[in-house]
Amino acid sequence: GRYQMAAWLHQQGATLYVDRGDLSQIVRETLAMPGRWLGGHLRPARYERLDIDVSLRNWKKIQWHRNHALQSGFLLDQDQIWVPATIRYQGRALRAQLRLKGDLADHIKGRQWSLRIHVKDGQAILGMRRFSLVAPYVRSFLGNALYYQSMKAADVLAPRYDFVKVRLNGSNWGFMAMEEHCAKELLESQGRREGPIVYFSDSDLFSNRA
């Protein structure tokens, strides 16, 4: 029905939030899709590419915990296991660890699963050692990018945010948002002194909901 169509349009990058009850808006957005697809593929653009490789044994572990999280509707702490990975970036093979990332199931639905990545051996990608790869629609496409830029313009500490092309075990995952995680590089990149970073844990909240 129209509700499923509106949700699909949101995932595909509708220019505005699609009201699930507005049939005329759903039709307009659907008709505009082919032109946006052609424009995005014909315009020359350069984006960094990350080729991520995980052994079959460890990827099956990730898949098992993803399926378990989909059943409960939440990605709980016990499903956020770390596995070793190799990331090929600009001709280098970097050792890393990765796990599933997020709280709600929208992070792990579809073909683009949210991943938290730690690059090892003091190496970095785009200046970041700890970052997340997230499907763009989960982060409101350009919404988060504009929000973070506004924070920086007001001299408020904000993570770096970019878009990269991702391939995982040879499968094309397409464009994903690359969002910096809290670490000393976040402070250094914006002229802050190194210090403790404190945050509230919400793991009990989602465990109780599950």
Side-chain angles (χ1 to χ4, degrees), residues 152-178:
K152 291 179 181 179
D155 199 30
V156 177
L157 191 65
R160 285 172 284 186
Y161 191 88
D162 210 332
F163 294 93
V164 292
K165 293 180 179 179
V166 176
R167 293 184 69 87
L168 199 147
N169 287 345
S171 176
N172 182 17
W173 279 29
F175 286 102
M176 299 190 72
M178 182 177 179

Side-chain angles (χ1 to χ4, degrees), residues 48-50 88-93 126:
E48 296 291 348
R49 175 172 155 175
L50 307 184
R88 284 175 282 126
Y89 166 69
Q90 292 187 343
R92 296 179 293 159
L126 295 178

Side-chain angles (χ1 to χ4, degrees), residues 119-178:
V119 182
K120 311 292 283 184
D121 305 322
Q123 300 295 312
I125 297 174
L126 295 178
M128 295 174 258
R129 289 191 304 116
R130 300 187 180 197
F131 57 88
S132 299
L133 296 175
V134 184
Y137 74 88
V138 176
R139 288 290 188 253
S140 300
F141 296 97
L142 293 177
N144 262 36
L146 294 172
Y147 177 63
Y148 289 150
Q149 287 182 13
S150 299
M151 290 176 66
K152 291 179 181 179
D155 199 30
V156 177
L157 191 65
R160 285 172 284 186
Y161 191 88
D162 210 332
F163 294 93
V164 292
K165 293 180 179 179
V166 176
R167 293 184 69 87
L168 199 147
N169 287 345
S171 176
N172 182 17
W173 279 29
F175 286 102
M176 299 190 72
M178 182 177 179

Side-chain angles (χ1 to χ4, degrees), residues 13-30:
T15 54
L16 301 172
Y17 178 78
V18 177
D19 185 344
R20 296 188 178 191
D22 188 343
L23 184 59
S24 62
Q25 188 185 9
I26 291 175
V27 172
R28 289 196 303 271
E29 290 292 339
T30 303

Side-chain angles (χ1 to χ4, degrees), residues 2 8 23 46 68 72 75 112-113 117 127 131 135 141 150 179 181-182 184 195 207:
R2 68 179 64 179
W8 181 83
L23 184 59
R46 294 182 180 179
H68 183 260
S72 67
L75 184 65
Q112 293 177 307
W113 309 347
I117 294 178
F131 57 88
F141 296 97
S150 299
E179 183 178 47
H181 186 55
C182 294
K184 68 175 185 176
S207 295

Side-chain angles (χ1 to χ4, degrees), residues 37-89:
W37 187 90
L38 285 173
H41 283 76
L42 293 177
R43 294 192 192 99
R46 294 182 180 179
Y47 293 93
E48 296 291 348
R49 175 172 155 175
L50 307 184
D51 287 277
I52 305 172
D53 293 311
V54 181
S55 71
L56 179 60
R57 177 170 173 267
N58 285 319
W59 190 243
K60 284 185 176 180
K61 292 180 183 178
I62 295 290
Q63 290 175 322
W64 188 92
H65 285 281
R66 178 208 179 224
N67 292 335
H68 183 260
L70 287 175
Q71 292 174 7
S72 67
F74 300 97
L75 184 65
L76 303 178
D77 287 350
Q78 59 262 36
D79 291 315
Q80 298 181 7
I81 63 161
W82 291 95
V83 299
T86 300
I87 302 178
R88 284 175 282 126
Y89 166 69

